[in-house]
Amino acid sequence: MSFDWTTFILQVLNFLVLVWLLHRLLFRPVLRLIAERKAATAKAWEEAQRVKKEGGDLQSAYENRMALWEAEKEKARAKLLEEMQAERSRLQAENDRLMQEERERARAVEAHRLAMLSQEAETRALRIASQFASRFLRDLVTPDLEVKLVDRAIEEIEGLPPEKVAEIRDSVERGGVRQIEVRTAFLLEEARRDRLAKALQKACGKELPCESLVDGSLGAGVRAVIGGWMVRANVKDELLFFASKGES
């Protein structure tokens, strides 16, 4: 069998033409399609990475927000507990104050009640003592007792402090007093009556006329009146004063 160069060359040419056709009609589109697919894949990968990154950022933001929310909730819970504790303390203090006021009020009411009972008992005792003293002194009323009461009144008038004397004299001047009225349960002897009149005149700073009257209702003793000033040294006024102290 002989080698045919023409057939070989033609087959080589056919092969080259086939390769050129395949390269032009098949390989290029396939390579272009592969390149486009590779680019699309890379773009999708980049998009996926971007979305993944955004998802991570969103997750981090969400986690941060959740942490902040938990912190805010904890802070709000702590503040609420603090306010509740403060309100509880305030209410407890208010309750203690009201209870203390109620106890003080109850003690005040009880003290007032006891004071009233004590005052009533004291008033009854003074009233009984006044009645007893009145009956007792009524049996002891004598001219001698009156002499002692008058002498005592004279001593008190003569021993008045300067400020009291000035007050009496000012009252006499402003009141335009023109006489002194003296009442005794019994008729006084002249010397004692004059001594009493001089003591009264010295106290008022004027030699005013002295009118002497006998008033048996006094029991024993003297009552002298100079304007708005009065000297009481008698059984009747002392008993009235004693009784009034029991009623006050």
Side-chain angles (χ1 to χ4, degrees), residues 2-17:
S2 62
F3 182 76
D4 189 354
W5 285 99
T6 303
T7 303
F8 177 75
I9 293 171
L10 289 175
Q11 288 180 351
V12 170
L13 290 174
N14 287 335
F15 178 75
L16 292 174
V17 171

Side-chain angles (χ1 to χ4, degrees), residues 35-53:
E36 291 176 356
R37 185 66 57 85
K38 185 177 180 180
T41 301
K43 185 177 181 181
W45 173 258
E46 291 177 357
E47 184 66 20
Q49 290 298 317
R50 186 184 65 80
V51 171
K52 182 180 179 181
K53 184 177 182 302

Side-chain angles (χ1 to χ4, degrees), residues 37-242:
R37 185 66 57 85
K38 185 177 180 180
T41 301
K43 185 177 181 181
W45 173 258
E46 291 177 357
E47 184 66 20
Q49 290 298 317
R50 186 184 65 80
V51 171
K52 182 180 179 181
K53 184 177 182 302
E54 290 180 354
D57 293 341
L58 289 175
Q59 183 176 1
S60 298
Y62 174 75
E63 290 175 353
N64 291 335
R65 182 57 186 167
M66 289 296 294
L68 290 175
W69 188 45
E70 289 295 331
E72 290 176 358
K73 285 198 303 181
E74 187 63 27
K75 184 177 179 181
R77 186 182 300 110
K79 183 178 180 181
L80 178 61
L81 290 176
E82 183 180 354
E83 291 177 353
M84 290 176 62
Q85 183 64 32
E87 182 66 15
R88 185 182 298 111
S89 300
R90 188 188 68 79
L91 292 176
Q92 182 65 36
E94 181 68 14
N95 185 59
D96 293 342
R97 185 184 65 80
L98 292 176
M99 291 182 63
Q100 182 64 24
E101 289 181 355
E102 187 62 27
R103 286 193 292 268
E104 292 294 336
R105 190 179 298 109
R107 280 197 291 267
V109 171
E110 181 64 15
H112 179 70
R113 187 182 70 84
L114 293 176
M116 291 298 294
L117 291 175
S118 177
Q119 185 176 0
E120 289 178 2
E122 183 180 356
T123 300
R124 286 195 298 271
L126 288 173
R127 187 180 298 114
I128 293 172
S130 176
Q131 293 172 356
F132 173 78
S134 178
R135 289 193 298 270
F136 179 75
L137 290 176
R138 192 177 298 117
D139 297 335
L140 297 179
V141 168
T142 61
D144 292 337
L145 176 61
E146 178 165 282
V147 168
K148 294 180 180 180
L149 291 174
V150 172
D151 289 344
R152 177 183 173 187
I154 294 172
E155 291 175 0
E156 290 182 356
I157 296 170
E158 291 176 344
L160 288 173
E163 57 272 15
K164 184 62 179 178
V165 172
E167 179 183 341
I168 295 171
R169 292 179 178 180
D170 182 66
S171 175
V172 170
E173 289 294 334
R174 288 187 291 104
V177 179
R178 293 292 178 266
Q179 82 173 13
I180 301 172
E181 179 183 289
V182 177
R183 292 177 179 269
T184 56
F186 300 95
L187 183 63
L188 291 177
E189 59 183 12
E190 185 176 355
R192 184 166 279 102
R193 187 169 61 249
D194 292 343
R195 183 185 171 195
L196 176 60
K198 289 180 179 180
L200 292 170
Q201 290 170 346
K202 182 179 179 181
C204 65
K206 289 185 176 182
E207 293 186 1
L208 297 175
C210 187
E211 181 182 8
S212 298
L213 302 173
V214 176
D215 186 353
S217 66
L218 298 179
V222 60
R223 180 193 294 161
V225 179
I226 305 175
W229 180 57
M230 184 180 297
V231 177
R232 294 187 180 94
N234 58 80
V235 173
K236 180 179 180 180
D237 288 337
E238 291 297 329
L239 289 176
L240 290 176
F241 175 77
F242 187 72

